[in-house]
Amino acid sequence: MKVTLERAALLKSLGHVHRVVERRNTIPILSNVLLRAEGKALLLKATDLDLEVTERLAADVGVAGGTTLPAHTLYDIVRKLPDGSQVSLEIAGDSGQLLLRSGRSRFNLQTLPDSDFPDLAAGDFSHDFLLPPADLKRLIEKTQFAISNEETRYYLNGIFMHSMEAEGASVLRAVATDGHRLARVEIACPKGASGMPGVIVPRKAVTEVQKLIEDLSADIRVELSTTKARFTFGDVVLTTKLIDGTFPDYMRVIPAGNDKRLIVERGPFAAAVDRVSTISSERGRAVKLAIADGKLTLSVTNPDSGSAQEELDVDYDSTPLDIGFNARYLLDITEQLDSDTALFKLADPGSPTLVQDRDGASALYVLMPMRV
């Protein structure tokens, strides 16, 4: 194998694929990135057996062939080479080493045979559709914060995506929950997505998809089966196994009868929650909301450090209500809202609260209260 290419192009591609590689691996080949030179291109591939990223980039191929190299070492070397330089990769003889040359720099790197590199065979996909980058970004950004970190409930460790009919229109929904809060956002169902299986895209894949969306203008191709998903971003292809589990019936926890309406100015409300929560205990993080006659009083009491209180003018004309929430969760949700106001639909101190920009907004959030 002998191939020459621009350092900037190689660095960008390595940046896309090397993130998939775990730093600690019991299987040596999984620490490596696959390089395969053929035609006028160099193919790069990395995998952790659940997630695979491949990218093809233009290169001057002298001798076709393939090998695998330590991913993080190769990335660090290329990152430290001078801007604008050319990189030559060459395997000569049976030494089991690759010679990397750039300017006056020489590196001899240990390789493992490309024939040992695992392939995350994708199989057939039942659904295939295109999504504009802004739509996919919205589905992820509005729900990602609510993904559960609890490994025992593995089926909550991702974003649930499915198509359905809602109010006479076909929509594509993304939902995430950790049992304390729930985020749900929907967009008009793209052509080809109707009837798709409900799939749970794992957290690591969600994070990588989100990074690959940046600086992208062309539509993203999404292919789905019951066990795998594939996202194509131009020359970059990400294939992931899906979480094999049943997502809970989230519709049951979205309250329908909450009749107490509280409308707050989003910015001042978030700032006030942030200020009073300064003295809350790390474990509790509880903030109390006392709502009555157009006034909202936020308060925190911590036996170890004292108390804090702040008052806001709000739009509220129902019966007085005292309710407690986790301050961090409140801030996470208000950060997701797009408008200058936040609408809280409340029932009582022990029931879930619904949060939206406004009635009928495409994104909604459910927050469980805390005892205060």
Side-chain angles (χ1 to χ4, degrees):
M1 180 180 113
K2 186 176 182 181
V3 61
T4 307
L5 66 168
E6 292 280 339
R7 175 252 182 196
L10 180 57
L11 181 64
K12 186 177 179 183
S13 291
L14 283 170
H16 292 152
V17 301
H18 93 287
R19 290 192 303 255
V20 175
V21 179
E22 300 290 348
R23 289 203 173 264
R24 291 179 181 174
N25 266 307
T26 52
I27 306 170
I29 196 84
L30 294 182
S31 297
N32 284 17
V33 58
L34 172 73
L35 306 178
R36 187 168 286 145
E38 51 195 7
K40 294 183 178 179
L42 179 67
L43 174 81
L44 287 81
K45 182 191 286 190
T47 185
D48 65 359
L49 296 182
D50 290 319
L51 182 64
E52 175 187 278
V53 175
T54 66
E55 182 162 4
R56 192 177 299 277
L57 65 159
D60 180 6
V61 178
V63 179
T67 189
T68 76
L69 291 168
H72 294 291
T73 303
L74 180 61
Y75 176 73
D76 285 341
I77 289 170
V78 176
R79 182 172 58 86
K80 293 171 183 177
L81 293 174
D83 286 343
S85 59
Q86 294 275 318
V87 180
S88 165
L89 306 168
E90 183 178 356
I91 293 178
D94 302 319
S95 64
Q97 289 194 331
L98 175 137
L99 172 62
L100 185 155
R101 288 184 296 180
S102 181
R104 295 184 177 184
S105 301
R106 301 279 188 282
F107 295 89
N108 283 294
L109 302 173
Q110 285 298 134
T111 67
L112 288 171
D114 59 327
S115 56
D116 293 346
F117 200 82
D119 185 30
L120 194 65
D124 294 327
F125 292 101
S126 60
H127 287 74
D128 183 343
F129 54 92
L130 296 175
L131 271 181
D135 283 358
L136 184 54
K137 193 172 183 178
R138 178 175 172 79
L139 290 175
I140 290 175
E141 286 188 347
K142 298 292 181 191
T143 55
Q144 186 181 31
F145 73 95
I147 294 175
S148 174
N149 292 311
E150 197 180 320
E151 296 303 327
T152 52
R153 293 200 287 177
Y154 64 94
Y155 48 85
L156 299 182
N157 296 161
I159 294 177
F160 178 58
M161 297 177 76
H162 68 124
S163 65
M164 66 174 294
E165 294 294 318
E167 297 175 10
S170 188
V171 297
L172 176 61
R173 267 189 187 167
V175 186
T177 182
D178 60 6
H180 304 289
R181 57 209 170 146
L182 178 143
R184 191 204 81 191
V185 63
E186 63 191 29
I187 60 170
C189 197
K191 185 180 177 183
S194 292
M196 62 175 259
V199 298
I200 308 172
V201 184
R203 182 194 297 104
K204 185 174 178 180
V206 166
T207 303
E208 291 306 317
V209 167
Q210 190 176 29
K211 288 173 181 170
L212 291 168
I213 293 171
E214 298 300 329
D215 309 323
L216 202 68
S217 55
D219 284 356
I220 295 147
R221 185 180 180 193
V222 182
E223 297 163 273
L224 296 170
S225 70
T226 53
T227 56
K228 291 193 177 75
R230 185 161 67 198
F231 300 85
T232 303
F233 310 80
D235 293 324
V236 184
V237 180
L238 180 148
T239 307
T240 179
K241 290 181 181 176
L242 299 168
I243 292 176
D244 182 15
T246 303
F247 200 78
D249 180 6
Y250 66 88
M251 297 292 285
R252 287 174 51 197
V253 301
I254 297 175
N258 288 14
D259 56 352
K260 296 182 173 67
R261 294 168 59 88
L262 165 69
I263 299 173
V264 300
E265 292 289 325
R266 187 173 68 88
F269 173 75
V273 171
D274 196 24
R275 278 193 290 271
V276 297
S277 68
T278 308
I279 66 155
S280 65
S281 68
E282 279 303 314
R283 219 177 105 256
R285 304 287 293 169
V287 58
K288 179 182 174 185
L289 280 63
I291 322 159
D293 300 328
K295 286 271 189 277
L296 166 63
T297 304
L298 298 156
S299 60
V300 170
T301 303
N302 183 348
D304 299 324
S305 55
S307 62
Q309 186 172 306
E310 189 156 341
E311 196 174 88
L312 295 171
D313 292 324
V314 296
D315 182 349
Y316 182 80
D317 56 10
S318 297
T319 53
L321 177 68
D322 290 358
I323 191 168
F325 295 110
N326 180 302
R328 182 68 258 160
Y329 294 171
L330 265 182
L331 291 172
D332 283 345
I333 287 174
T334 50
E335 277 174 18
Q336 303 305 321
L337 301 178
D338 296 319
S339 70
D340 293 333
T341 57
L343 167 64
F344 288 75
K345 294 181 181 176
L346 306 124
D348 57 65
S351 298
T353 293
L354 193 65
V355 188
Q356 288 176 283
D357 285 322
R358 62 189 184 283
D359 281 319
S362 64
L364 67 78
Y365 304 93
V366 179
L367 186 55
M368 296 299 293
M370 291 177 74
R371 284 195 185 140
V372 286

